[in-house]
């Protein structure tokens, strides 16, 4: 267990001004997204009433009993926030307060400067490093720790591990401040509720896992990790980060698979001048699958994960796995052969759930090899543009 100096108390809420700025940012983006997909395109939504009922049942963070994880394919750089325009504005305005999705955005795209960093932080996007662009990428980066914690219970009466107080880091990190750093300048929380996305990051980011109001949050992830546009609407392999979000929270989050169609035509990677403008007059379809029976689908994997975590903790001198360290995976467990196999199997089951939604759209079954890493390694090192199979890819 960490020493007392490494622990901090959580707070109940960010400041009113921070919450207001975040709420208004998300409401404005939701309004523009809805105007675009319904005013300038033809949009079809399947399974929305069921999904809305689930979201509305989670409106009060004090009564939530588990997190919510939505998972989908990724076919356009504007999938998020565009797909959330299918949610009625009444939801965003009323039921969405403190109940909107958290998502992951590329650090090198969404957080290039202070202005962009503030906008995306207020829009509940977490900075994610991609291994192709940063040595700090991968499934065990700091932002994935935030993701695991957001899907867990956060108590203002409990102590949590605080990397900011780690004396090993003081030589590298500055003390977070506003406006350079994306932190709540009106909060009296000490130490400041913030974290660096990687050791050499020039700014700190708001840490939502410091606040009880973010207990059992809704997190959305695109496990392909990059845009993939194919005529037959196949998906790339899913990356392991999604498995961490299912295996590690003390209570398994609800999981809702989704499938997106048509946004690739709005912003296709083959588009020419003006590339920055989305195309109109397209047909967009968003399909929400049924909520998974998480105990039936993931129960055995989660049970074995906890056993491995407890075994690892005992080897390091602790009686069992400690929730204070939630979201922080020691090297011994990160690279444990059985832990790797658990992540692989969990990721496969998630992808199978999304494939089931894809199948409900009348699309033919994929080649089973499409879900294997080895299949996509044959693409070679190229990360953007048209591939040999005719599909288009982009880091996003």
């Amino acid at each position: 267990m960490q020493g007392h100096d490494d622990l901090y108390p959580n707070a109940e809420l960010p400041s009113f001004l921070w919450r207001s700025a975040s709420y208004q940012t998300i409401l404005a983006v939701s309004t523009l997204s809805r105007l675009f997909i319904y005013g300038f395109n033809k949009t079809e939504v399947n399974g929305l009433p069921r999904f809305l009922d689930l979201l509305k049942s989670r409106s009060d963070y004090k009564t939530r009993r588990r997190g919510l994880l939505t998972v989908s394919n990724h076919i356009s750089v504007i999938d998020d926030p565009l797909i959330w325009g299918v949610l009625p504005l009444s939801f965003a305005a009323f039921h969405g307060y403190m109940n909107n999705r958290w998502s992951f955005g590329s650090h090198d795209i969404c957080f290039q400067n202070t202005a962009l960093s503030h906008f995306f932080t207020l829009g509940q996007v977490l900075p994610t490093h991609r291994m192709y662009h940063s040595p700090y990428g991968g499934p065990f980066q700091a932002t994935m720790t935030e993701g695991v914690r957001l899907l867990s219970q956060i108590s203002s009466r409990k102590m949590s591990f605080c990397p900011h107080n780690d004396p090993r880091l003081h030589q590298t990190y500055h003390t977070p401040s506003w406006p350079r750093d994306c932190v709540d300048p009106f909060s009296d929380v000490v130490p400041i509720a913030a974290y660096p996305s990687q050791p050499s990051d020039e700014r700190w980011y708001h840490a939502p896992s410091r606040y009880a109001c973010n207990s059992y949050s809704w997190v959305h992830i695109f496990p392909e990790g990059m845009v993939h546009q194919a005529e037959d609407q196949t998906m790339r392999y899913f990356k392991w980060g999604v498995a961490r979000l299912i295996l590690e929270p003390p209570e398994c989050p609800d999981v809702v698979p989704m499938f997106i169609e048509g946004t690739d035509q709005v912003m296709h990677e083959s588009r020419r001048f003006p590339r920055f403008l989305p195309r109109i007059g397209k047909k967009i379809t968003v399909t929400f699958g049924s909520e998974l029976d998480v105990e039936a689908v993931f129960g055995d994997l989660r049970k074995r994960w906890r056993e491995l975590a407890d075994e690892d903790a005992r080897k390091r001198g602790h009686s069992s796995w400690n929730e204070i360290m939630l979201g922080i995976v020691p090297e011994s467990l990160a690279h444990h052969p059985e832990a790797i196999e658990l992540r692989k199997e969990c990721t496969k089951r998630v992808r199978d759930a999304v494939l089931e939604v894809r199948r409900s759209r009348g699309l033919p079954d994929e080649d089973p090899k499409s879900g294997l890493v080895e299949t996509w390694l044959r693409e070679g090192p190229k990360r953007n543009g048209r591939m040999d199979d005719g599909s288009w890819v982009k880091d996003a």
Side-chain angles (χ1 to χ4, degrees):
M1 182 182 293
Q2 299 295 310
H4 179 73
D5 291 341
D6 294 327
L7 303 180
Y8 61 79
N10 293 325
E12 188 70 24
L13 295 161
S15 69
F16 173 76
L17 290 175
W18 179 273
R19 300 197 313 270
S20 298
S22 180
Y23 169 75
Q24 292 167 23
T25 299
I26 294 172
L27 182 59
V29 172
S30 298
T31 301
L32 291 174
S33 297
R34 190 168 180 85
L35 174 64
F36 180 78
I37 64 174
Y38 285 106
F40 296 94
N41 297 275
K42 181 180 179 181
T43 299
E44 173 188 337
V45 190
N46 303 299
L48 181 60
R50 178 180 58 239
F51 185 64
L52 279 177
D53 286 343
L54 176 60
L55 293 183
K56 290 176 182 178
S57 72
R58 300 169 41 82
S59 294
D60 184 353
Y61 70 88
K62 295 180 180 179
T63 63
R64 298 174 194 156
R65 292 296 175 263
R66 62 176 67 216
L68 170 62
L69 179 65
T70 50
V71 186
S72 72
N73 57 323
H74 197 11
I75 59 174
S76 170
V77 294
I78 56 173
D79 282 341
D80 191 315
L82 208 60
I83 59 173
W84 307 122
V86 304
L87 302 180
L89 288 181
S90 59
F91 169 81
F94 301 105
H95 301 286
Y97 180 68
M98 307 300 294
N99 190 33
N100 278 298
R101 68 91 187 91
W102 294 87
S103 66
F104 302 96
S106 299
H107 181 274
D108 56 295
I109 296 177
C110 301
F111 299 85
Q112 295 180 38
N113 53 52
T114 300
L116 281 175
S117 296
H118 276 57
F119 172 76
F120 282 103
T121 298
L122 289 172
Q124 297 191 175
V125 177
L126 305 173
T128 308
H129 292 267
R130 299 174 293 172
M131 295 186 70
Y132 186 76
H133 297 272
S134 168
Y136 304 106
F140 304 105
Q141 58 185 287
T143 292
M144 291 305 299
T145 297
E146 287 295 302
V148 171
R149 292 178 174 183
L150 282 171
L151 290 167
S152 308
Q153 184 178 36
I154 304 168
S155 172
S156 60
R157 296 182 295 276
K158 286 186 178 180
M159 305 290 281
S160 299
F161 178 62
C162 181
H164 174 58
N165 284 355
D166 190 336
R168 295 169 298 177
L169 307 180
H170 287 170
Q171 296 179 356
T172 304
Y173 293 159
H174 62 264
T175 300
S177 63
W178 187 87
R180 173 184 58 180
D181 300 299
C182 303
V183 296
D184 181 356
F186 307 102
S187 176
D188 57 359
V189 177
V190 178
I192 294 175
Y195 73 102
S197 70
Q198 46 99 343
S200 61
D201 204 336
E202 65 180 17
R203 63 176 57 85
W204 288 69
Y205 301 93
H206 188 70
S209 67
R210 288 287 305 271
Y211 299 100
C213 64
N214 292 321
S215 291
Y216 299 130
S217 283
W218 167 21
V219 175
H220 181 78
I221 188 170
F222 299 105
E224 290 171 281
M226 63 192 306
V227 169
H228 181 243
Q229 300 174 341
E231 289 186 7
D232 58 1
Q233 310 219 34
T234 56
M235 297 185 295
R236 291 173 58 86
Y237 69 95
F238 281 13
K239 299 184 177 180
W240 295 354
V242 67
R244 289 199 61 198
L245 300 177
I246 291 172
L247 295 175
E248 296 181 32
E251 295 80 25
C252 187
D254 290 324
V255 179
V256 175
M258 301 170 53
F259 195 74
I260 307 167
E261 302 165 76
T263 54
D264 53 340
Q265 299 306 310
V266 175
M267 290 289 271
H268 200 279
E269 290 308 309
S270 65
R271 67 191 183 280
R272 300 188 181 279
F273 180 85
R275 276 188 64 85
F276 65 93
L277 285 179
R279 282 25 176 182
I280 62 175
K282 307 300 181 181
K283 182 178 179 181
I284 299 170
T285 304
V286 179
T287 302
F288 295 93
S290 298
E291 184 181 340
L292 299 184
D293 181 342
V294 292
E295 180 58 35
V297 179
F298 306 112
D300 59 324
L301 304 181
R302 282 177 49 82
K303 180 176 182 293
R304 184 53 188 150
W305 165 260
R306 182 53 59 88
E307 291 172 350
L308 284 178
D310 286 343
E311 290 172 10
D312 182 79
R314 285 192 289 272
K315 289 178 181 178
R316 290 184 289 111
H318 307 310
S319 59
S320 63
W321 177 81
N322 195 311
E323 288 188 18
I324 287 178
M325 299 297 291
L326 181 65
I328 300 174
V329 179
E331 285 290 320
S332 55
L333 201 53
H335 304 293
H336 190 290
E338 189 173 352
I340 290 174
E341 290 305 313
L342 286 175
R343 295 185 195 108
K344 286 182 178 180
E345 178 60 26
C346 184
T347 301
K348 177 184 180 299
R349 294 183 190 184
V350 173
R351 192 176 187 277
D352 286 344
V354 177
L355 281 176
E356 189 61 35
V357 183
R358 179 184 181 275
R359 192 174 295 114
S360 74
R361 295 290 302 144
L363 294 167
D365 288 342
E366 288 187 340
D367 183 334
K369 294 180 180 178
S370 295
L372 303 177
V373 177
E374 293 78 9
T375 299
W376 299 99
L377 288 176
R378 297 172 188 169
E379 291 181 338
K382 188 177 180 182
R383 302 285 297 182
N384 291 283
R386 193 175 190 274
M387 310 307 285
D388 290 342
D389 64 358
S391 65
W392 290 77
V393 297
K394 180 177 176 59
D395 271 326

